[in-house]
Amino acid sequence: MKNTYKSLIFSLLAISFATGLSAQRPERLNSAEIYQAIEKLNVLGSALYIAAHPDDENTRLISWLSNDMGINTAYLSLTRGDGGQNLIGTQIEELLGVIRTQELLAARRTDGGTQMFTRANDFGYSKHPDETLRLWNKDEVLADVVWVIRKWQPDVIVNRFDHNSAGRTHGHHTASGMLGFEAFDLAANPNIYPEQLKYVQVWQPRRLFFNTSWWFYGSQEKFDAADKSKMVSVDAGTYLPLRGKSIGEIAAESRSMHKSQGFGSVGSRGESMEYLDLLKGDMPEVKNDLFAGINTTWARVQGGGPIGQLLEKVQGQYHFDNPAASVPLLMEVLKKIEALPESYWKRVKLAEIKRVITNCLGLFVEATASDFSATPGQEVNLTMEAINRSGAACVLQSVRYLPLGLDSTLNAPLASNKDFSFKKKLTLPADPDGSGQVLPFTNAYWLDQNWALGMYTVKEQTLRGLPETPHTFKVEFTFLVDNQPFTLEREVVYKKDDDVKGEVYRPFEVTPPVFVNMAEEAILFPDTKPRTVGAVVKSGVPNISGKLSLDLPKGWRAEPANIDFSLKLKGEEQNVTFQVFAPSANGEGKITPVATVNGQRYAKSLVSIEYDHIPAQTILLPAEAKVARTDLTRGGDLIGYIMGAGDKVPESLRQAGYSVDVLGDRDITLDNLKKYDAVVIGIRAYNTVERLKFHQSKLFDYVKQGGTMVVQYNTTGTLLPDAELSPYKLKLSRDRVTVEEAEVRFLAPEHEVLNFPNKITAKDFEGWVQERGLYFPSEWGPEFTPVLSCNDPGEPARDGSLLVAKYGEGWYVYTGLSFFRELPSGVPGAYRLFANLVGLGQEGKR
């Protein structure tokens, strides 16, 4: 059965690169969009755009290539953006990568492109491509770029970034250009990554361009004066009457899908020039045509000439008020494409023409489950629906349930606009032959295996490059259209009627029968006293019972050893608590909760991500929490926290024993603020919280009268002028220290902030993750004391990571240190230092 699953996966891959894995909601094209899709059927050209992160892509150029030129266009983002910040929630790192993956897919559904990735992990800002390619494992990422080129077979590749910009910009950006430059030739060499040739053929693209602009030259004047003899320029601002939109408007809608990064964009109209600098290949003879001299007609395919002629006839005879009139000719085209020898363009155009015929018929087809998830061995109730909303003759002959090997013979004529539906009860296979489950648990495939900094682990070659895991539970519908077989596949999905949102779709998931989650991601033990540690058991099926225990590091113990649980309803939760005892010596480790059911151990946590602009995501991660035994004394007790872009610092501070109130707009009054030992401002609050600027004077008055205010990092261009961000002169910059092991030097070793209530030493800066900090101030008034200094290799000292100033009777602190990453990750030294920040002014009160 495992082999059956693998063969199914690869058959899915045959079309996934060409069409993109679908969203759950059925597509409904209008007549103009159908005509545009027919036009695209007659274009056999492909392009690949390469950059480093989600939101790096030029959505205008992608939109223009796909919608105006009809080019099969893909964006290869080397990473999933895991190292960025999140403006819409608290998910960071791999969970932010899941969100940004889905945002890119939403962007491509908007601009008509396809999305792909490599195994590279966004480990945060990098200042040089040498560091980037060391942490990424250059050979593996290069292999992935070659794999994508061989799969996609682009005629033209466009690099977003200059491959010769080492040290002048983000190391990830330069590295993406370098890898695209190198892979251009390697993809054609059969001796390079020969293991890929089991699935793909070698491929040599025709041209490689760098998508340059004035920005890369430093100014418009310098760009105007630059030699453009090897540049192609195109107007990507065209207007599409069939869409009623300009390319700039479509591109803005696409870019606005990057909501977690705050990239909402306003559409543009009118001429918009794009410049492409030729790096490899031949220069187009026509300077405004990337594809000049490249055959993009059906003549490039053996036996394809008659297909192109038929499609021209379809275009000429198309009726905008009756698209179904084109079905007979389109079915002829389908038959001719099916008869072609196996090739890339056969796969691409088969998927495209099926999409066109489906929409010409107004054919609505879907398979929905009565619940959004099930576990192997559980029954699933399906409803199949098909309706032909045209006058064309259409018969639903049969359906087949994949990969179960079951089918239903129907031979049901679909009369015009008459809905046909039926139900089927199926049992998900549960290891019938002892070879392993047929349907794997649903998850983001790149998170299935443990991964290292910089690289995800994906052992299956055929999964590499895919934006998401193929859903293998599908229904294949076979129709007779114009007396010719016509087959469509639909993923099984879940659909419900939401009282507010109306029709809501989500993916159907295959899950374990039980999930276990730790109540906290990191747990701090400031002494040897036992702590109450919570876990949550959640059922994936009704009527499940078992025992929950904790796997602990050596030297740690829990009481009791295990706890019984019994859950009657699916989705029911049971909270359990253990008393956990830490050893006397300082140290770190991980706790794993394990649910044992009928002798089977389950240790996966369930993470649900739900935002309106992307499909709901179900993620399975190892169920664990970091534990740290460290000597920690709190400074102060009660903290007021003003949230910014979203972080988990309040929960982390509660772990350290603080009482934390998250303050809303109405809570920020001087009288209310006075009760707090410290008020902490969340990350990027002055970038994202519009009304915070109106409260600045009250916050300063709080400090002046004896309070402590700790402001975490903001990016440049805040909602407040630099002069108003602090009671004293303070100018933010883009200075950052990306090497998390960078030496930290004490500029003011006797300052209270390094000595009370915890004595801070170099050891407290061990084990930091991703970076030291970011957007450090570069200038500040003499009232500030710079406390720490650090720098990346080869750079001058950055002294602005932690600035402390007395203001009136209180303390004002500005810090660019990445506490928002360190505290949720359970870094002991970060907790000790933060306790000192919020404890400023408390020494005299004890």
Side-chain angles (χ1 to χ4, degrees), residues 182-229:
E182 192 170 348
F184 179 85
D185 296 314
L186 295 182
N189 187 337
N191 298 316
I192 301 297
Y193 311 119
E195 68 280 0
Q196 297 178 0
L197 302 182
K198 178 181 177 182
Y199 308 101
V200 294
Q201 296 177 331
V202 294
W203 180 255
Q204 179 59 65
R206 180 77 171 266
R207 294 168 185 143
L208 172 68
F209 293 98
F210 161 45
N211 187 190
T212 190
S213 70
W214 68 264
W215 189 88
F216 293 96
Y217 284 75
S219 70
Q220 185 66 53
E221 291 74 19
K222 290 181 180 179
F223 182 65
D224 290 342
D227 177 12
K228 297 184 177 62
S229 60

Side-chain angles (χ1 to χ4, degrees), residues 513-515 537 541 543-548 565 594-602:
V514 64
F515 313 99
V537 190
V541 294
N543 300 314
I544 190 168
S545 59
K547 293 182 180 295
L548 186 74
F565 65 86
V594 178
T596 302
V597 179
N598 297 325
Q600 181 72 41
R601 286 164 55 95
Y602 296 95

Side-chain angles (χ1 to χ4, degrees), residues 194-460:
E195 68 280 0
Q196 297 178 0
L197 302 182
K198 178 181 177 182
Y199 308 101
V200 294
Q201 296 177 331
V202 294
W203 180 255
Q204 179 59 65
R206 180 77 171 266
R207 294 168 185 143
L208 172 68
F209 293 98
F210 161 45
N211 187 190
T212 190
S213 70
W214 68 264
W215 189 88
F216 293 96
Y217 284 75
S219 70
Q220 185 66 53
E221 291 74 19
K222 290 181 180 179
F223 182 65
D224 290 342
D227 177 12
K228 297 184 177 62
S229 60
K230 297 194 70 176
M231 286 188 195
V232 174
S233 60
V234 298
D235 178 9
T238 49
Y239 175 68
L240 305 178
L242 291 178
R243 297 285 294 273
K245 295 177 182 178
S246 69
I247 292 296
E249 289 168 324
I250 295 171
E253 292 173 4
S254 172
R255 190 155 186 79
S256 295
M257 292 299 173
H258 296 296
K259 299 184 189 303
S260 67
Q261 304 304 296
F263 276 108
S265 300
V266 176
S268 63
R269 288 147 295 280
E271 182 183 80
S272 182
M273 300 304 296
E274 291 288 344
Y275 294 89
L276 297 111
D277 195 358
L278 183 71
L279 302 179
K280 290 186 177 182
D282 64 312
M283 187 68 187
E285 293 182 3
V286 181
K287 281 296 195 75
N288 63 350
D289 184 356
L290 295 177
F291 286 81
I294 298 174
N295 187 355
T296 60
T297 74
W298 275 98
R300 76 183 297 174
V301 175
Q302 182 180 356
I307 295 174
Q309 294 168 10
L310 265 179
L311 285 170
E312 288 178 5
K313 189 174 180 181
V314 173
Q315 285 177 239
Q317 297 179 3
Y318 184 75
H319 295 275
F320 282 88
D321 59 347
N322 183 22
S326 297
V327 169
L329 274 179
L330 287 168
M331 293 301 294
E332 267 191 71
V333 174
L334 173 62
K335 186 183 294 186
K336 289 183 179 297
I337 295 176
E338 288 176 332
L340 292 174
E342 186 61 29
S343 71
Y344 167 79
W345 283 113
K346 177 181 178 178
R347 295 191 297 270
V348 170
K349 294 305 177 180
L350 269 178
E352 286 185 14
I353 195 167
K354 287 188 175 185
R355 174 180 181 242
V356 168
I357 292 171
T358 300
N359 282 280
C360 281
L361 290 168
L363 186 59
F364 179 92
V365 183
E366 72 175 12
T368 57
S370 59
D371 203 347
F372 67 87
S373 69
T375 196
Q378 190 177 7
E379 284 190 337
V380 178
N381 294 305
L382 295 185
T383 299
M384 273 60 65
E385 180 183 1
I387 181 170
N388 167 25
R389 292 171 290 186
S390 75
C394 182
V395 177
L396 176 56
Q397 292 186 305
S398 63
V399 299
R400 192 157 63 101
Y401 310 98
L402 305 175
L404 280 62
L406 303 174
D407 57 30
S408 298
T409 301
L410 301 166
N411 290 318
L414 299 183
S416 178
N417 210 32
K418 298 291 185 181
D419 193 41
F420 176 82
S421 63
F422 68 98
K423 297 182 183 298
K424 181 75 173 180
K425 185 176 289 187
L426 300 169
T427 300
L428 295 186
D431 195 14
D433 58 1
S435 62
Q437 63 203 32
V438 173
L439 291 179
F441 293 143
T442 303
N443 200 24
Y445 70 85
W446 60 96
L447 302 180
D448 279 338
Q449 305 290 326
N450 291 331
W451 62 90
L453 178 67
M455 289 295 297
Y456 285 119
T457 302
V458 181
K459 295 180 180 179
E460 185 67 44

